[in-house]
Amino acid sequence: MRHALHVLAAALLCACQSWRPVESFDGWTLYAHEDVQADPKPWGDAYEPAHEVVESLFGPFERGVRVHVLQEDAPTPLGDSAVQMVPGIGAARVRAWHTRGDGLFTPPSGVYAGTPDAGTAAHELVHARLAEIDPHLPLWFEEGLACVVGDGILHQGKWIVDGYSCWPVHELRNERLDDDELRKLLRVRAERDTDARDNVLVHFIGWAIVFDLFRMEGGLRYHEWRARYKDGIELREARERLNRSISPDIEAAWLQRLQHADPRVRLAASKGVWKLQSRDALEALVDRLELEQDPEVKASLAVNALSAAGETRSGRDLARRMWRQVSPALRTLELSDPAETKALRDLYRSFRWNADISTRQALEGLKRFWSE
Ligand SMILES: [Zn+2]
């Protein structure tokens, strides 16, 4: 499974291509190239809830937002290919970006995205809103806010924010940034270009610092934090917050949310947990699977447990317990979206010896549960 990368782009795309409006929504408009067929329905399903959440946290947009549908394999701000090899981190797919360009020779400002995904939408719309109210923030702060708000799950037309993002946790644990590198990354400003590796790392450290604030101060307090951090953050404070966010204690505390009374919280907490590559996380998923009654939450737990087992050395007992829960879940769960129900059955079939479908193909239809 590839990781999704969102970059904040300076205006690098050619402005000469023409965009036509596909459909207007409340507060934003969908655009595509003349020769591209874009179905507005899935874009509306992803961007409407994201737009609502971003306005509730950062205030209403002053202007309509443009959302541009990218063609597959369109050049990205980090290079010609959508998949970038990031040194020390691996393959990352540049999934979307936001650009502020408003000049005559720059592409229109707005969001550029290849697929309609609600998490990507929430992330990019944070950039779009911050471009209106605060275009000169430290990049870690802006990316951190976007990453926290962009982590969650779509549930019955609402974007449920979770905030604990498993990819940066895993990578920052392995990365062990020294003080010089951390200091350098903290100094990057939103308006400056960065290379792929720095860009990814700024997302990670930004997430870790803002997630710590989000957790410690019980919510997203943009205006207070902006007053504190608009000119930067002390290295010591950044290090302290970062270390806390990637610590095993916080992992354990956040996995407790799998037991939360509200199924939406459990659902959002389970999504992406496989990325931690941690045995504790796999065990927490299996423990919850044994109790879970909500079909949607159960599906998410099963998909993440299965993926986690592929990434983690779990031992035979845990693997057996996992499969005892996952197998019937894939075979029998009925979800409200028939396409997801079918993907569960396909996933089950993909494990049979004469499978006519690959596990990877089947997982595509269950992206809502595993892809951060
Ligand atoms: Zn971003």
Side-chain angles (χ1 to χ4, degrees), residues 149-350:
V149 177
D151 183 277
I153 196 165
L154 195 60
H155 174 76
Q156 296 180 355
K158 293 261 175 226
W159 180 245
I160 312 295
V161 174
D162 177 66
Y164 188 71
S165 192
C166 302
W167 184 31
V169 173
H170 177 70
E171 295 293 342
L172 286 171
R173 280 175 180 171
N174 292 338
E175 202 64 41
R176 300 175 191 279
L177 298 170
D178 66 25
D179 282 355
D180 285 344
E181 193 158 16
L182 184 55
R183 199 177 288 118
K184 184 186 95 181
L185 294 167
L186 290 170
R187 286 205 192 115
V188 179
R189 308 290 301 192
E191 57 270 29
R192 211 185 80 186
D193 288 335
T194 48
D195 65 26
R197 181 179 152 81
D198 282 1
N199 198 298
V200 174
L201 289 174
V202 171
H203 280 77
F204 291 171
I205 62 168
W207 168 80
I209 299 167
V210 174
F211 176 71
D212 188 64
L213 289 163
F214 173 74
R215 202 178 47 77
M216 303 276 280
E217 301 186 19
L220 199 130
R221 302 168 192 279
Y222 170 66
H223 293 284
E224 281 172 44
W225 300 344
R226 182 200 177 274
R228 256 186 269 164
Y229 301 114
K230 65 181 189 326
D231 297 319
I233 184 170
E234 291 285 328
L235 184 70
R236 232 179 65 163
E237 182 187 347
R239 174 73 73 189
E240 220 173 270
R241 293 192 183 280
L242 191 157
N243 284 347
R244 219 167 13 228
S245 284
I246 65 173
S247 68
D249 287 356
I250 297 308
E251 178 185 326
W254 216 253
L255 288 171
Q256 281 294 314
R257 289 164 74 91
L258 295 174
Q259 315 292 338
H260 200 280
D262 184 342
R264 292 171 306 174
V265 174
R266 302 201 298 278
L267 187 63
S270 65
K271 179 183 176 180
V273 161
W274 68 274
K275 277 188 188 169
L276 287 170
Q277 298 189 18
S278 115
R279 192 187 182 281
D280 290 352
L282 175 58
E283 195 161 23
L285 289 167
V286 174
D287 286 349
R288 183 62 214 174
L289 263 172
E290 290 171 350
L291 304 171
E292 186 59 55
Q293 297 298 318
D294 183 288
E296 204 181 8
V297 181
K298 197 154 188 159
S300 182
L301 292 165
V303 168
N304 278 278
L306 200 54
S307 307
E311 305 278 336
T312 318
R313 240 179 259 170
S314 56
R316 205 187 296 162
D317 286 353
L318 184 55
R320 201 176 288 149
R321 265 182 71 208
M322 188 273 297
W323 194 245
R324 207 178 294 139
Q325 294 300 319
V326 168
S327 169
L330 301 184
R331 248 183 309 126
T332 61
L333 282 176
E334 294 286 339
L335 303 179
S336 53
D337 179 352
E340 285 180 346
T341 305
K342 179 180 178 299
L344 286 175
R345 304 294 184 271
D346 287 348
L347 187 55
Y348 179 73
R349 267 176 35 220
S350 77

Side-chain angles (χ1 to χ4, degrees), residues 125-145:
L125 289 174
V126 170
H127 286 310
R129 179 65 184 131
L130 290 177
E132 286 185 345
I133 52 178
D134 230 342
H136 302 289
L137 293 170
L139 188 58
W140 69 263
F141 185 48
E142 176 156 346
E143 290 298 355
L145 291 163

